[in-house]
Amino acid sequence: MSNPGTPTLDQLTIFLTVVEVGSFAGAGRKLNRAVSVISYGIANLEVQLGVMLFEREGTRRPQLTEQGRAVLAEAKAISQGVDGLRAKVKGMLDGLEAEVNLAVDVMLPAERVGQVLRDFAATFPTVQLRLHVEALGAVTALVLDKEAVVGLSGPLSAGVEGIDSRSAGSVPMVPVAAPDHPLGRMMAIAPGAGRDYTQLVLTDRSRFTEGSDYSVFSPKTWRLADLGAKHALLRQGIGWGNMPLPMIEADLVAGTLVRLAMPDHVGGTYRFSGIWRRDTPPGPAASWLLDSFVTLGRDDREMEGLGDL
């Protein structure tokens, strides 16, 4: 049983052009070649593959055979892959990154991330993206360790040596609990009442938060490394804690969570910064990402204070 040979890119280009324009003569005009060269290219491709690509009898226009239709799909995929390769290399020669590693704080609203990344995909179709979603100091750690070229970090990145930053908005943090939680059932919460109940606290294992607590109010805590898990446990009535308002607005409307009017723990603002290593400035695509997050963050309402993490 014979194996097919390896066609050249030129042969595949001729084949695809004949199919596109519907004739050998039209393909010759489009490629600026003689019709005899087009016919010779198709004949050689058929010899290489060992199959007939076009019907030769009873038709004035070239018609694909069954084998030709099967080859067409693969030829298109190869052509698109080559086009993508050329575009990527051209981007690299022009200074455009082949890949961008982006780290974002888990508090950053998902809608904001989705909007920026949707536009990024349209603007930079040849640039691959690796997205890391981390909590607290882990975003800064990824940037410092060069595992991410840019990051959207919370306030823990402030003042870190070797890091440059730009303000990128904020998100309100509000204390919440399930409606059947004792705090959720209170019409008026007395000062200090939160200390009597388990507080759910977001944490990470980065070197920037080691041995530190941020706005931990209760001596009774459950510490979680996942914001989604914290959200789920709050809805189960296991404890109380602060959450980014955009993430739990639907819960407040539906009544699955209630906002706590705690006189001594009112929440606050979690501020974001676009960050990068001072010795590794971002390229065009990464800079575009930073600019986009900064632009979206400009309209955020600024509030004083840092919410419970």
Side-chain angles (χ1 to χ4, degrees), residues 173-215:
M173 301 290 292
V174 296
V176 294
D180 59 352
H181 186 275
L183 289 174
R185 294 197 299 264
M186 293 182 185
M187 296 298 294
I189 301 177
R195 299 179 183 275
D196 298 330
Y197 302 96
T198 299
Q199 182 180 358
L200 303 184
V201 179
L202 189 66
T203 187
D204 77 335
R205 290 184 290 181
S206 78
R207 56 190 182 273
F208 297 102
T209 57
E210 186 176 0
S212 300
D213 281 330
Y214 299 91
S215 297

Side-chain angles (χ1 to χ4, degrees), residues 77-261:
I78 292 171
S79 178
Q80 291 167 356
V82 171
D83 289 344
L85 172 64
R86 288 169 57 86
K88 180 168 291 188
V89 172
K90 183 180 185 302
M92 288 189 288
L93 293 175
D94 292 342
L96 185 65
E97 308 95 317
E99 179 179 277
V100 170
N101 278 264
L102 168 68
V104 301
D105 193 294
V106 69
M107 300 287 191
L108 195 66
E111 293 77 9
R112 193 180 308 181
V113 176
Q115 179 180 341
V116 170
L117 296 189
R118 179 194 62 203
D119 294 343
F120 178 84
T123 306
F124 300 98
T126 66
V127 178
Q128 295 188 59
L129 179 81
R130 292 184 183 272
L131 177 65
H132 310 265
V133 180
E134 299 288 349
L136 308 178
V139 174
T140 303
L142 285 174
V143 173
L144 275 179
D145 294 341
K146 296 186 177 181
E147 294 183 41
V149 66
V150 289
L152 268 296
S153 174
L156 292 180
S157 64
V160 174
E161 181 64 30
I163 289 289
D164 278 343
S165 66
R166 297 171 61 191
S167 176
S170 61
V171 66
M173 301 290 292
V174 296
V176 294
D180 59 352
H181 186 275
L183 289 174
R185 294 197 299 264
M186 293 182 185
M187 296 298 294
I189 301 177
R195 299 179 183 275
D196 298 330
Y197 302 96
T198 299
Q199 182 180 358
L200 303 184
V201 179
L202 189 66
T203 187
D204 77 335
R205 290 184 290 181
S206 78
R207 56 190 182 273
F208 297 102
T209 57
E210 186 176 0
S212 300
D213 281 330
Y214 299 91
S215 297
V216 176
F217 186 69
S218 173
K220 306 173 182 179
T221 60
W222 279 22
R223 298 172 185 270
L224 308 106
D226 182 84
L227 188 61
K230 179 178 177 180
H231 187 189
L233 295 183
L234 285 168
R235 294 180 62 171
Q236 291 296 321
I238 291 174
W240 69 274
N242 272 25
M243 290 289 288
L245 182 59
M247 188 172 184
I248 49 87
E249 281 181 315
D251 291 286
L252 298 180
V253 173
T256 48
L257 288 174
V258 295
R259 188 166 180 170
L260 303 177

Side-chain angles (χ1 to χ4, degrees), residues 8 10-12 14-15 18 24-25 27-28 31 33-49 53-54 56:
T8 67
D10 186 62
Q11 289 170 342
L12 294 178
I14 292 173
F15 172 59
V18 170
F24 284 24
L31 297 175
R33 302 185 190 184
V35 175
S36 59
V37 174
I38 300 299
S39 298
Y40 183 73
I42 293 297
N44 279 344
L45 178 59
E46 289 177 327
V47 170
Q48 284 282 353
L49 297 178
L53 300 174
F54 293 102
R56 296 293 199 277

